[in-house]
Amino acid sequence: MSSFENIAPEELQGRLNEVLLIDVRGPSETARGIIRGAKLIPLHLVPMNVDQFKSDKDVVIYCHSGARSAQACHFLAGQGLTGLHNLEGGVMYWAGSGLPLVAPE
């Protein structure tokens, strides 16, 4: 069994208020829009910020296509974290499903 699960954009949309949402894309990518409520932690900074992923909520991580967020999930699972989810298809599938992006704060 995998150490994390994939979550579909539609399922995430219904759970946005009950998860810790983290965007692991870089600043030039997030400038184009993020999913509302996402915390921005670029992938290369994940190892230094493991504590920010510790939550009593499920943690959903996303990137552009789902590859970097899957790497982050693998790494965090190796650090003993549970409740990890990778947004299937990343922000591309999210936006492609007609779901909204907002400007980062």
Side-chain angles (χ1 to χ4, degrees), residues 50-93:
V50 171
D51 285 348
Q52 293 198 48
F53 292 85
K54 293 178 178 170
S55 175
D56 51 0
K57 300 176 174 181
D58 281 353
V59 178
V60 178
I61 304 173
Y62 74 93
C63 63
H64 182 67
S65 66
R68 284 174 288 173
S69 47
Q71 282 183 315
C73 285
H74 276 296
F75 172 79
L76 292 165
Q79 302 298 306
L81 275 71
T82 58
L84 299 167
H85 300 270
N86 182 34
L87 177 60
E88 219 173 316
V91 81
M92 274 191 336
Y93 277 22

Side-chain angles (χ1 to χ4, degrees), residues 22-30 40-50 53 61-63 68-69 71-72 75-76:
I22 302 196
D23 187 327
V24 293
R25 298 176 299 156
S28 62
E29 295 173 286
T30 56
L40 309 181
I41 303 177
L43 183 62
H44 70 282
L45 297 177
V46 168
M48 286 91 85
N49 289 283
V50 171
F53 292 85
I61 304 173
Y62 74 93
C63 63
R68 284 174 288 173
S69 47
Q71 282 183 315
F75 172 79
L76 292 165

